[in-house]
Amino acid sequence: MEYNESEFFIETEIPSDELIISRTDLNGVITFANDVFCDISGYDEEEIIGQNHNLVRHPDMPQSIFKDLWYDLKHKGKWSGIVKNMRKDKGFYWVNAIVSCVYKKGELLGYKSIRTPITSEEKLKHQKMYDKIRQENGEAIRTVIYK
């Protein structure tokens, strides 16, 4: 997928009193998205249900973060971390994500994620950290040139 770099500079702030909630099946396909998730991501519920959750994955996110997520879900039953997501319009939003397993009668059915806003300081810290991780892992990194 090709993007115009300028599209990535529009941030959506998440109100401090809002929770973004979603559920997926075992393959990461979205089965539930609350109204806040739809509003913040820019997708209508009909557009997002049935899509893989990586639909909102921002290209700034290192692949290793999601490897850690899946490892922790498999071995610990939960994961938490800071994530930069991409909106439908290619803008972005930052969240503190808590992902956990959903069981019914002992059977793993899927995953739920509750996401909350983070501070500007946390955003800057994690952007720098993720850029460094991506560079160390040989993943593409963005370069912004001001003229």
Side-chain angles (χ1 to χ4, degrees):
M1 190 174 289
E2 198 169 305
Y3 302 106
N4 177 339
E5 191 168 281
S6 64
E7 294 174 307
F8 291 105
F9 293 114
I10 301 168
E11 180 176 7
T12 298
E13 295 282 337
I14 301 170
S16 62
D17 61 343
E18 296 286 5
L19 291 175
I20 297 172
I21 302 171
S22 60
R23 284 182 60 165
T24 69
D25 66 13
L26 295 173
N27 297 314
V29 174
I30 299 168
T31 59
F32 170 80
N34 73 344
D35 291 341
V36 178
F37 184 22
C38 295
D39 291 343
I40 297 295
S41 70
Y43 289 95
D44 293 329
E45 184 180 19
E46 300 79 31
E47 292 177 291
I48 207 161
I49 300 296
Q51 297 294 321
N52 194 289
H53 208 288
N54 65 16
L55 175 73
V56 295
R57 182 179 296 180
H58 196 283
D60 282 356
M61 288 299 299
Q63 294 175 10
S64 61
I65 300 299
F66 296 102
K67 287 180 185 175
D68 291 345
L69 178 150
W70 287 109
Y71 179 88
D72 284 359
L73 284 174
K74 182 177 181 181
H75 294 93
K76 300 175 186 176
K78 63 181 176 177
W79 176 88
S80 65
I82 305 300
V83 177
K84 184 178 188 180
N85 283 328
M86 186 168 59
R87 291 175 39 85
K88 180 180 177 180
D89 64 7
K90 309 299 183 270
F92 65 95
Y93 59 100
W94 285 94
V95 294
N96 178 30
I98 301 169
V99 183
S100 58
C101 296
V102 174
Y103 291 92
K104 184 173 184 179
K105 297 182 181 179
E107 180 183 354
L108 178 62
L109 298 179
Y111 308 97
K112 67 179 174 184
S113 178
I114 298 174
R115 294 165 314 275
T116 57
I118 63 171
T119 66
S120 295
E121 292 80 17
E122 289 175 299
K123 294 172 190 177
L124 182 58
K125 172 186 165 187
H126 281 84
Q127 183 67 63
K128 289 179 179 181
M129 181 175 63
Y130 291 163
D131 286 347
K132 183 179 179 186
I133 292 169
R134 288 179 63 79
Q135 187 172 26
E136 289 171 351
N137 292 341
E139 297 176 59
I141 59 171
R142 291 180 297 118
T143 303
V144 179
I145 300 172
Y146 297 96
K147 294 183 181 186

